[in-house]
């Protein structure tokens, strides 16, 4: 088994102590893995995942959920990587100065905001470090910009199909096709409001989302990203990880799924994406690619939550 610990801090910490609080979250994750080392193994690579499986431990990876946790600093991104983080969700429920989120709560007039020049530098540094780019929570424009710029496959760590539920957190069909071209993956969430656009959902509706992504993007580009640590309305019949066998059995009973395809859905697709992200990192290292030193500084020095329409300096 493999799962991601999400180092998440609320958007209200943006421009305040978000960086510190994220580091504290990572510290908690690392200490939990150490405390329960008989069952958990903190890993940072595909090789580490496979080694954890061999000794029958749960492979635990760290992700940072929300670009606001960077404090607009690529040096902070590198520090998170050194502490074990292996994906960054570019936004959470708030825009940053360099990327638009799906809700546009900070700047509704900028609901089509994508990646700024600094946002493209964040992508470049993620590629260089071998960290996965996570596009869950981002605006469609940010999705498109990232998919058109990144040289490594992306993930949607916990999103569903927009065609079946018109939540702004879900992925439109044209983006699903771009994910296929990018060789990335969309990992289906079990949060009812992303499945049925309501507070309740069923196993059959989850399967419908899985099948839709498989049909539009292909069998190599769909996975499972339940999001149990952060949801309060789970799908009936998928309330916790003990129900995964029921989901996979239900899919197997459908003749459109083979055993090999089920293995891809259950983890092999993610391992392929992660492997390709590591391959890009290794190639860039051989080419002598250096870190980017830019820091994004808001021109407005007000301490609380500046609007995303403000100017910025890149120093």
């Amino acid at each position: 088994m493999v799962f991601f610990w999400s180092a998440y801090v609320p958007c209200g910490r943006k421009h305040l102590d978000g960086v510190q609080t994220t580091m504290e979250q990572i510290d908690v994750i690392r200490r939990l893995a150490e405390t329960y080392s008989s069952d958990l193994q903190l890993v940072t690579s595909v090789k580490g995942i496979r080694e954890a499986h061999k000794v029958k431990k749960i492979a635990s990876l760290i992700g940072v959920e929300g670009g606001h946790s960077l404090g607009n600093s690529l040096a902070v991104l590198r520090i998170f990587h050194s502490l074990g983080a292996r994906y960054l969700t570019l936004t959470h429920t708030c825009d940053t100065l360099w990327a638009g989120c799906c809700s546009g709560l900070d700047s509704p007039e900028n609901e089509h905001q994508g990646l700024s020049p600094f946002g493209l530098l964040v992508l470049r540094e993620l590629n260089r470090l071998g960290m996965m780019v996570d596009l869950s929570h981002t605006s469609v424009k940010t999705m498109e910009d990232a998919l058109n710029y990144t040289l490594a496959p992306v993930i949607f760590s916990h999103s569903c199909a927009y065609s079946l539920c018109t939540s702004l957190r879900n992925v439109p069909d044209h983006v699903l096709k771009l994910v296929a071209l990018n060789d990335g993956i969309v990992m289906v969430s079990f949060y009812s409001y992303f499945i049925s656009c309501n507070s309740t959902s069923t196993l059959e509706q989850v399967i419908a989302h899985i099948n839709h992504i498989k049909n539009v993007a292909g069998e190599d580009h769909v996975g499972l990203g339940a999001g149990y640590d952060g949801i309060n309305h789970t799908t009936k019949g998928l309330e916790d990880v003990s129900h995964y066998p029921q989901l996979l059995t239900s899919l197997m009973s459908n003749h459109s799924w083979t055993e090999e395809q089920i293995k891809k859905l259950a983890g092999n697709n993610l391992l392929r994406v992660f492997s390709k992200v590591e391959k890009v990192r290794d190639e860039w290292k051989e080419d002598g690619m250096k870190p980017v030193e830019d820091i994004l500084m808001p021109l407005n020095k007000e301490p609380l939550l500046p609007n995303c329409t403000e100017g910025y300096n890149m120093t």
Side-chain angles (χ1 to χ4, degrees):
M1 180 182 292
V2 180
F3 70 86
F4 285 99
W5 296 87
S6 178
Y8 158 73
V9 299
C11 283
R13 315 307 272 179
K14 183 173 68 170
H15 306 306
L16 298 173
D17 60 351
V19 173
Q20 173 185 326
T21 309
T22 304
M23 292 181 70
E24 290 169 351
Q25 289 286 307
I26 293 175
D27 176 65
V28 169
I29 293 168
R30 295 181 66 91
R31 287 189 289 124
L32 278 170
E34 182 178 351
T35 300
Y36 298 100
S37 59
S38 59
D39 297 310
L40 305 179
Q41 185 166 317
L42 192 65
V43 302
T44 59
S45 65
V46 173
K47 180 181 178 182
I49 293 172
R50 298 190 188 283
E51 289 174 348
H53 277 205
K54 287 180 181 178
V55 296
K56 298 184 178 180
K57 291 187 179 182
I58 300 172
S60 303
L61 296 102
I62 300 173
V64 173
E65 189 165 352
H68 60 286
S69 289
L70 300 187
N72 301 320
S73 169
L74 295 176
V76 170
L77 175 60
R78 288 189 286 273
I79 291 170
F80 289 161
H81 175 267
S82 70
L83 293 174
R86 287 300 179 268
Y87 79 71
L88 172 71
T89 315
L90 297 189
T91 67
H92 198 256
T93 55
C94 53
D95 299 327
T96 67
L97 289 174
W98 48 271
C101 76
C102 63
S103 62
L105 295 178
D106 284 351
S107 52
E109 69 277 15
N110 275 1
E111 62 179 282
H112 301 299
Q113 178 186 348
L115 291 175
S116 74
F118 184 82
L120 297 181
L121 292 180
V122 172
L123 281 192
R124 177 192 182 276
E125 195 66 354
L126 288 167
N127 286 175
R128 190 191 69 83
L129 290 169
M131 287 180 67
M132 287 178 280
V133 176
D134 178 17
L135 298 180
S136 287
H137 287 284
T138 63
S139 68
V140 172
K141 185 63 167 63
T142 297
M143 296 176 193
E144 294 168 344
D145 288 350
L147 284 161
N148 286 326
Y149 185 83
T150 181
L151 295 182
V154 305
I155 65 171
F156 285 80
S157 63
H158 53 305
S159 296
C160 298
Y162 184 83
S163 288
L164 300 186
C165 169
T166 55
S167 165
L168 294 177
R169 276 281 284 101
N170 287 340
V171 188
D173 283 358
H174 80 279
V175 175
L176 290 177
K177 293 175 182 177
L178 291 176
V179 171
L181 291 174
N182 166 263
D183 203 23
I185 183 175
V186 177
M187 303 169 71
V188 174
S189 169
F190 299 164
Y191 183 43
S192 289
Y193 280 102
F194 300 160
I195 295 294
S196 66
C197 288
N198 209 322
S199 60
T200 60
S201 59
T202 65
L203 176 66
E204 290 71 26
Q205 288 173 314
V206 169
I207 290 175
H209 279 266
I210 293 171
N211 282 331
H212 183 84
I213 295 170
K214 175 175 175 276
N215 291 336
V216 175
E219 65 188 58
D220 294 328
H221 309 293
V222 60
L224 303 177
Y228 285 126
D229 62 330
I231 57 177
N232 53 3
H233 295 280
T234 55
T235 296
K236 184 177 181 181
L238 288 172
E239 289 84 2
D240 55 51
V241 295
S242 68
H243 295 276
Y244 270 79
Q246 181 181 350
L247 170 62
L248 300 180
T249 300
S250 296
L251 286 169
M252 281 291 290
S253 67
N254 186 326
H255 296 303
S256 66
W257 285 86
T258 66
E259 183 176 348
E260 187 63 28
Q261 289 171 335
I262 292 292
K263 290 178 180 179
K264 290 180 179 182
L265 173 74
N268 283 348
N269 282 341
L270 178 63
L271 290 178
R272 184 199 74 250
V273 168
F274 196 3
S275 294
K276 291 198 171 185
V277 170
E278 293 179 332
K279 184 173 184 289
V280 169
R281 174 203 63 195
D282 294 342
E283 290 173 348
W284 284 27
K285 185 176 181 179
E286 289 179 6
D287 290 341
M289 192 71 71
K290 301 298 182 184
V292 178
E293 302 298 341
D294 290 30
I295 296 175
L296 187 64
M297 296 295 292
L299 291 176
N300 187 325
K301 299 300 183 181
E302 292 296 323
L304 295 178
L305 299 177
N307 189 286
C308 287
T309 59
E310 294 170 353
Y312 57 82
N313 284 328
M314 292 176 64
T315 59

